[in-house]
Amino acid sequence: MSSPYEGRANKDASIVKQGTRSTLTPGTATGERTHTADAFLIGDSMTGGYGSGADILHDCTIAVEKGEIAVIVGPNGAGKSTGMKAVFGMLNLRKGAVRLDGEDITALTPQDRVAKGMAFVPQTSNIFTSMTVEENLEMGAFLRRDDISGTMAQVYDLFPILKDKRRQPAGELSGGQRQQVAVGRALMTQPTVLMLDEPTAGVSPIVMDELFDRIIEVARTGISILMVEQNARQALAIADKGYVLVQGRNAHTGTGKELLADPEVRRSFLGG
Amino acid sequence: MIGDLKTRDLLLFAFVALLFVGTGIVQSWNVSLTILNMGLISAIMALGVNMQWGYAGLFNVGIMGFVALGGLGAVLVSMPPTGQAWADGGLRVLLGLVLGAATVVAAVLAWSRVTRFRGPVVVAILVIGFFIFRAVFDGGVAAVEAVDPASTGYLGGLGLPIILSWPVGGLLAAGAAWLIGKTALGLRSDYLAIATLGIAEIVIAILKHEDWMARGVKNVIGLPRPVPYEIDLQNSEAFVARMTAWGFDPVTASGITVKLGYTGLFVVVLAILLWLAQAALASPWGRMMRAIRDNEVAAEAMGKDVTRRHLQVFVLGSAVVGIAGAMMTTLDGQLTPGTYQPLRFTFLVWVMVIVGGSGNNWGAVLGGFLVWWLWVQVEPIGAALMQGITAGMPDGMWLKAHLLEAAAHMRLLTMGLILLLVLRFSPRGLIPER
Amino acid sequence: MEPLNAFVTFANFVLIPATAYGSQLAIGALGVTLIYGILRFSNFAHGDTMAFGTMAVILCTWGLQSVGISFGPLPTALLALPVGIAVTALLLIVTDKTVYRFYRAKKAPPVTFVIASLGVMFVMNGLVRFIIGVDDQRFADGERFVISVRTFREMTGLDEGLAIRTSQAITVVVAVIVVAALFWFLNKTRTGKSMRAFSDNEDLALLSGINPERVVFITWLIVAGLATVAGTLYGLDKSFKPFTYFQLLLPIFAAAIVGGLGNPLGAIAGGFLIAFAEVTITYPLKKVLGYLLPESLEPDGLVQLLSTDYKFAVSFCILLIVLLFRPTGLFAGKSV
């Protein structure tokens, strides 16, 4: 075990705060930097894994152009979220590179990438539950020193329900509303890229459609969207670019329509 | 059992032994043995805490309370009963206690059985019970405490040999631990640390306040000994003749003989407990305990009753601490509730366990000896250091006087530094868990 | 039957002392709860931090007194407070950089911090004893009473008197100011909100660009302020003795836990709850009841529910009851 105190007394609530500890660890970029293609944001031929563990990604490439929606789909355990995290700098890359707008950002920490204009919405724990909706948005804009009221108004335009609930603690909202807060928080940084890890996990189909509509709207404003989705069919329907990953490798790549039409993709992932 | 040790560990023990031998040569054997005897007791305390922390990962910050309960055990077992006090109010006190306990039991039963007006019923039971308890109990206490308050004023003990108090002290501590564990470990998440912190203070408050039990802050002195008195040895012609023949001063020799007597007894207890602890750790029970510690979720999924196991190990560890507490009071020959302080009796034991090695019984024992030796010796070393530092200052300078006086407080600073250094550079302790 | 006299007695011996004590506990518990919320552990060194801060204030007070500076009717210690806070802040920051930061960087299990805080507790305790010794120090000067028993009697014509000591009045006033300032900071300023965000969801705070080291730094600064203020107020009200401060740890922890660890509002409520319970249950109510009840029913005994020796038992029982029924404290859910 890593620390002799790992198994001891960490459940004692009178001395140790319960709940999830921070899991966000910056990755490393040790190996060769590859350059095989160009895009606005590209994770180029990435190979690597968590910590010193086995490689999860193998020569995997994920890219998105400006104002487009790229979707990563694939079976369970295919490394979808891992691929996204690699692009965001949370993986130890043994080979490959990440470039944003032509600049090599492979060695940057996730926080530095936030400053470069990348916003990330984790799958779970993606809002500040004890803070009001408005405070959540303010925290999203923490790095900005300019006037944020314009951006906040845009977020409220995009998600009108949030405006009504802006003084409510975000933890009291419904699942779909929480996801809106999470996306809204990420948008407050005025990012050039928005990365979403399974934004529709656990929400009802109606809410899901609504959320996808909003995501399309966001993309129309020129923000690139990279998202991992469990609901492959609906996601590919709105995707400009789709990546099907299998065991950490690119299995199929194409536009959303192409992939939806590809018989093999249909057979193996979309249930016929 | 010693086969579990590696060469490095043996060297560490040899080093600690050297410290004691050195103390014997440089200072005196009397001093060295005094430190050793308390070192043995400290080792047992550390052993008990290591069972809780090392095996199961329970954070007990109420060690002081269990030590004091052991000490109470020593008084209750060994002191002669105060006949007059029993006649005047002893039974009334006991009746009061029984009524008090009955009230609590009734309240708990009511809580689980009554369905309507549960809250008010329980509160009513508690309030009425409390006043009945106080009415019966207070009168008895007053009568008991009125009996020759200068020398007794308490119920006294059973008048049995004091060695018997060691297991009894363990039992008292175990009983208290069961109560605490039952409440603090059964909650949704554990609250053991604060529960033990609180209960330790309460135990001390009871010892200080309940004069009928062990004379409170008036202290019980002159506890019977398991070993001969120095004065008897000095009066024994055979002893004096033998010591003179061996070339020792009979007075010094009597002191050392008595201390060696304690040492012998303590070594036996430590050896038995250490053997048991090692056997337990290596048994399926011990393996399960560590498995639970390392992955509680998996253990629970496999059907292990985690709370029950935790309660078990908490009670056992506290019992060991209680035994050590009774031994300490035996060694001191008196129970002085005013001297129980958390820094000395709770947190110092923690330093011993962390420095020695969490999860390793031998480590805890080593830590007990080493840290106790340091605790005692840091003071003279600090004083010498201050003498050196202030040597160049003129006499009568305020700083010089202050530094010399303050040298006595170096030990806390040193203990803190040692704990921090070990935690940082050798977090597994001197003898790591295997 | 004289309810007014009964009330005055009750106020004099229970309400006023408990309010002052409760304020002190509340400020102490706020410090514990902030560290718990942000750094995720219970700081066992908090009592000794309070002692250290108070010591710094006392030394500075003595310095001021020796050059003839005083604060009129108010205690000189109030003037020394900023210096004491600064010195304590320095100590806490140095401690963080030398001790805790290492474990943060390693993402050590939280209990490691608890054990480290035990070491820090020893060091600070030793430091305080080394510098100022173990004896009682009284450092309150200025006017002793706002209202003395005699003035009150003359003013009202009642049999019973009511005294408000300056230290008690100052405690309450300072506590109100400190708490208001802290809540304003946490709820209205960007930095304060970032602290709450960090306490709520560390990873998301990082993703929002909040710098954890800065949050921790500010936390220690605030904790230094809270600990020094709490310690100084307690010392002015009673007296300064390092060991007593160490013992305050239990009621302070109890207050913080009863309120719900990590919740500032809870810490304040917990502080007052514990203080009122301790004082009420250990105060002999004979005199109060004597005024309230008809003569025939007047109690013979002191009607002291528990001896003052058991004041820890009271905090503890409240804690136990709260935990049994509300395992996360009274104000769970809303963290720092």
Side-chain angles (χ1 to χ4, degrees):
Chain A
M1 212 181 307
S2 54
S3 161
Y5 305 112
E6 192 60 66
R8 295 189 169 101
N10 290 305
K11 263 192 71 187
D12 195 325
S14 58
I15 48 169
V16 164
K17 186 176 172 188
Q18 302 297 292
T20 44
R21 277 153 63 189
S22 170
T23 50
L24 201 157
T25 27
T28 56
T30 43
E32 165 208 355
R33 302 281 162 84
T34 42
H35 196 131
T36 56
D38 278 306
F40 179 66
L41 170 71
I42 179 163
D44 195 342
S45 317
M46 301 177 295
T47 301
Y50 296 104
S52 51
D55 284 353
I56 299 172
L57 296 183
H58 306 276
D59 212 14
C60 173
T61 297
I62 296 163
V64 60
E65 290 297 346
K66 208 162 176 53
E68 286 192 353
I69 299 176
V71 174
I72 309 173
V73 294
N76 279 331
K80 302 188 294 283
S81 290
T82 309
M84 173 104 100
K85 283 177 179 165
V87 174
F88 199 59
M90 289 151 82
L91 209 70
N92 291 347
L93 283 190
R94 276 171 272 278
K95 197 174 133 299
V98 183
R99 284 184 303 278
L100 177 66
D101 206 5
E103 184 188 352
D104 187 327
I105 57 166
T106 322
L108 293 188
T109 62
Q111 284 135 284
D112 291 336
R113 292 177 205 225
V114 173
K116 288 273 176 204
M118 293 170 74
F120 183 72
V121 180
Q123 184 182 348
T124 53
S125 310
N126 50 20
I127 53 167
F128 299 110
T129 49
S130 69
M131 303 178 86
T132 64
V133 170
E134 192 161 289
E135 284 172 334
N136 266 275
L137 299 184
E138 280 174 41
M139 285 301 106
F142 186 79
L143 280 176
R144 290 174 54 188
R145 285 300 192 172
D146 53 339
D147 185 18
I148 61 168
S149 54
T151 320
M152 199 175 279
Q154 283 170 10
V155 171
Y156 286 147
D157 283 345
L158 192 62
F159 304 117
I161 186 77
L162 296 188
K163 187 166 190 178
D164 302 336
K165 308 225 169 205
R166 64 183 187 279
R167 305 234 177 274
Q168 254 189 49
E172 291 175 3
L173 303 184
S174 72
Q177 291 165 353
R178 282 163 168 246
Q179 290 301 60
Q180 297 183 2
V181 175
V183 174
R185 183 207 62 83
L187 288 175
M188 288 301 291
T189 49
Q190 288 185 317
T192 50
V193 179
L194 179 63
M195 303 173 70
L196 305 160
D197 193 353
E198 300 203 15
T200 63
V203 301
S204 68
I206 300 170
V207 176
M208 184 172 79
D209 290 344
E210 162 93 25
L211 210 55
F212 279 153
D213 286 348
R214 295 290 96 81
I215 289 170
I216 295 170
E217 261 181 68
V218 171
R220 285 208 187 113
T221 65
I223 297 176
S224 312
I225 307 235
L226 178 61
M227 72 178 172
V228 168
E229 255 304 327
Q230 199 71 257
N231 302 303
R233 192 181 291 272
Q234 292 88 334
L236 287 176
I238 64 161
D240 298 300
K241 194 93 183 246
Y243 293 90
V244 180
L245 298 193
V246 176
Q247 291 183 335
R249 290 186 167 81
N250 289 100
H252 308 274
T253 307
T255 65
K257 282 206 184 79
E258 281 166 13
L259 290 175
L260 279 173
D262 184 327
E264 204 189 323
V265 174
R266 292 176 70 99
R267 198 179 54 243
S268 39
F269 306 114
L270 305 174
Chain B
M1 170 161 91
I2 298 190
D4 301 336
L5 293 171
K6 297 190 172 153
T7 321
R8 184 172 165 276
D9 309 339
L10 290 172
L11 282 177
L12 282 168
F13 270 102
F15 170 72
V16 172
L18 207 65
L19 289 179
F20 281 93
V21 173
T23 310
I25 295 168
V26 176
Q27 288 172 284
S28 80
W29 289 102
N30 237 323
V31 172
S32 180
L33 281 175
T34 308
I35 305 177
L36 179 65
N37 282 340
M38 214 34 230
L40 282 160
I41 291 173
S42 303
I44 297 177
M45 289 179 191
L47 199 58
V49 175
N50 184 49
M51 295 175 84
Q52 301 172 340
W53 166 250
Y55 297 10
L58 300 177
F59 199 82
N60 174 3
V61 270
I63 305 165
M64 172 178 76
F66 301 109
V67 174
L69 279 174
L72 176 65
V75 170
L76 294 185
V77 167
S78 71
M79 289 306 278
T82 314
Q84 190 62 42
W86 276 103
D88 286 359
L91 291 177
R92 193 169 164 187
V93 167
L94 287 190
L95 180 67
L97 288 179
V98 170
L99 285 173
T103 306
V104 174
V105 172
V108 171
L109 281 181
W111 184 259
S112 54
R113 301 278 165 82
V114 177
T115 44
R116 296 180 61 194
F117 305 115
R118 188 163 71 159
V121 167
V122 169
V123 170
I125 291 178
L126 285 175
V127 169
I128 295 170
F130 179 78
F131 281 103
I132 297 177
F133 158 73
R134 284 293 294 261
V136 175
F137 182 73
D138 288 3
V141 167
V144 169
E145 289 175 1
V147 178
D148 192 9
S151 61
T152 55
Y154 76 123
L155 288 172
L158 301 169
L160 297 169
I162 196 159
I163 293 229
L164 283 179
S165 76
W166 299 357
V168 170
L171 283 178
L172 277 179
W178 185 83
L179 277 177
I180 303 165
K182 203 73 186 150
T183 27
L185 289 173
L187 300 168
R188 196 159 62 199
S189 42
D190 295 350
Y191 278 92
L192 192 65
I194 187 72
T196 51
L197 190 70
I199 218 77
E201 290 295 344
I202 293 174
V203 167
I204 301 300
I206 291 175
L207 280 188
K208 278 184 179 166
H209 184 72
E210 301 300 321
D211 288 13
W212 58 271
M213 194 162 67
R215 303 196 72 224
V217 284
K218 289 185 286 182
N219 304 339
V220 178
I221 54 168
L223 261 61
R225 278 182 171 185
V227 294
Y229 284 85
E230 285 89 344
I231 195 75
D232 292 338
L233 289 178
Q234 286 162 27
N235 290 338
S236 145
E237 277 176 28
F239 179 81
V240 173
R242 181 171 302 160
M243 288 304 145
T244 328
W246 287 352
F248 295 126
D249 167 36
V251 177
T252 319
S254 67
I256 290 179
T257 309
V258 169
K259 291 200 172 70
L260 279 175
Y262 280 117
T263 310
L265 288 172
F266 292 171
V267 165
V268 170
V269 177
L270 175 61
I272 294 173
L273 289 175
L274 183 57
W275 180 75
L276 286 173
Q278 283 293 81
L281 192 59
S283 71
W285 179 84
R287 284 199 300 274
M288 176 179 64
M289 210 53 101
R290 288 197 280 181
I292 290 177
R293 185 195 71 200
D294 292 342
N295 195 340
E296 210 165 287
V297 180
E300 222 152 32
M302 281 161 62
K304 309 287 182 207
D305 189 342
V306 173
T307 306
R308 208 179 134 79
R309 296 295 147 218
H310 278 171
L311 184 62
Q312 232 171 30
V313 80
F314 182 63
V315 168
L316 283 177
S318 302
V320 171
V321 174
I323 293 173
M327 290 164 65
M328 191 187 76
T329 303
T330 308
L331 179 67
D332 291 344
Q334 56 183 357
L335 180 69
T336 48
T339 56
Y340 288 96
Q341 294 191 355
L343 275 179
R344 157 70 184 88
F345 286 102
T346 294
F347 298 110
L348 190 65
V349 181
W350 268 100
V351 179
M352 293 170 183
V353 175
I354 300 286
V355 168
S358 314
N360 189 314
N361 291 320
W362 284 103
V365 170
L366 180 82
F369 284 120
L370 178 63
V371 170
W372 180 252
W373 186 89
L374 282 168
W375 176 258
V376 177
Q377 295 291 17
V378 159
E379 215 170 298
I381 294 172
L385 190 73
M386 284 302 161
Q387 292 281 359
I389 291 175
T390 56
M393 299 181 188
D395 278 334
M397 185 188 171
W398 71 270
L399 187 62
K400 180 169 186 172
H402 181 84
L403 284 179
L404 287 178
E405 196 191 334
H409 304 305
M410 292 274 288
R411 51 159 61 146
L412 290 168
L413 210 71
T414 317
M415 291 304 132
L417 284 179
I418 290 174
L419 178 62
L420 289 175
L421 288 174
V422 168
L423 191 65
R424 172 88 171 241
F425 297 106
S426 176
R428 283 161 206 277
L430 295 177
I431 308 184
E433 181 177 9
R434 306 210 162 92
Chain C
M1 290 268 277
E2 290 180 80
L4 210 55
N5 270 320
F7 176 75
V8 169
T9 318
F10 187 71
N12 192 28
F13 291 103
V14 177
L15 277 186
I16 293 173
T19 309
Y21 181 45
S23 311
Q24 292 147 12
L25 283 188
I27 305 179
L30 274 175
V32 168
T33 229
L34 272 184
I35 296 179
Y36 187 89
I38 306 268
L39 289 116
R40 310 184 70 92
F41 74 98
S42 288
N43 181 14
F44 275 82
H46 197 74
D48 290 302
T49 310
M50 282 166 61
F52 184 90
T54 316
M55 178 191 73
V57 168
I58 291 176
L59 294 180
C60 181
T61 306
W62 287 345
L64 289 174
Q65 284 167 342
S66 69
V67 294
I69 298 175
S70 80
F71 202 9
L74 297 174
T76 317
L78 287 184
L79 285 179
L81 209 47
V83 181
I85 292 174
V87 174
T88 314
L90 192 69
L91 177 82
L92 290 185
I93 298 297
V94 169
T95 311
D96 185 69
K97 299 282 178 234
T98 51
V99 180
Y100 300 118
R101 191 174 63 172
F102 173 77
Y103 302 107
R104 267 202 309 282
K106 274 185 43 174
K107 293 198 185 289
V111 78
T112 319
F113 292 82
V114 180
I115 298 172
S117 84
L118 294 182
V120 172
M121 172 186 82
F122 268 106
V123 172
M124 282 192 186
N125 200 305
L127 216 56
V128 171
R129 290 176 188 222
F130 194 85
I131 296 175
I132 205 168
V134 291
D135 300 328
D136 243 335
Q137 311 282 356
R138 290 186 174 277
F139 59 104
D141 53 6
E143 207 65 54
R144 224 173 109 61
F145 288 102
V146 177
I147 303 174
S148 74
V149 171
R150 227 174 99 195
T151 339
F152 183 85
R153 281 208 200 114
E154 281 164 5
M155 264 163 49
T156 58
L158 288 170
D159 293 343
E160 288 300 328
L162 180 105
I164 301 179
R165 278 187 283 128
T166 317
S167 59
Q168 293 168 330
I170 288 177
T171 295
V172 176
V173 172
V174 172
V176 169
I177 295 174
V178 164
V179 168
L182 181 68
F183 277 78
W184 173 80
F185 174 78
L186 287 176
N187 290 314
K188 297 286 174 219
T189 66
R190 183 168 166 271
T191 310
K193 284 180 194 170
S194 75
M195 286 174 62
R196 282 168 53 221
F198 185 82
S199 161
D200 181 317
N201 189 333
E202 219 174 305
D203 280 348
L204 198 60
L206 291 175
L207 291 179
S208 305
I210 294 167
N211 178 357
E213 287 304 310
R214 182 155 181 278
V215 167
V216 169
F217 180 83
I218 307 271
T219 307
W220 284 118
L221 288 190
I222 297 174
V223 167
L226 291 170
T228 308
V229 168
T232 305
L233 293 176
Y234 187 84
L236 282 174
D237 197 16
K238 276 120 186 165
S239 73
F240 173 77
K241 198 176 181 194
F243 182 64
T244 325
Y245 278 63
F246 171 75
Q247 282 197 313
L248 277 178
L249 205 56
L250 179 63
I252 285 180
F253 271 13
I257 294 177
V258 161
L261 266 169
N263 181 325
L265 207 63
I268 296 167
F272 282 101
L273 181 67
I274 296 281
F276 271 87
E278 264 189 25
V279 177
T280 314
I281 294 182
T282 57
Y283 171 72
L285 295 167
K286 177 181 167 62
K287 223 172 169 185
V288 177
L289 293 179
Y291 280 116
L292 282 180
L293 300 171
E295 215 159 292
S296 55
L297 283 175
E298 218 169 280
D300 318 318
L302 288 169
V303 205
Q304 181 181 15
L305 294 176
L306 277 175
S307 143
T308 41
D309 290 343
Y310 289 131
K311 58 173 195 262
F312 287 130
V314 177
S315 339
F316 185 68
C317 288
I318 294 175
L319 181 69
L320 212 63
I321 293 168
V322 169
L323 289 185
L324 283 174
F325 296 104
R326 287 190 68 108
T328 42
L330 295 175
F331 292 77
K334 211 171 178 321
S335 53
V336 174

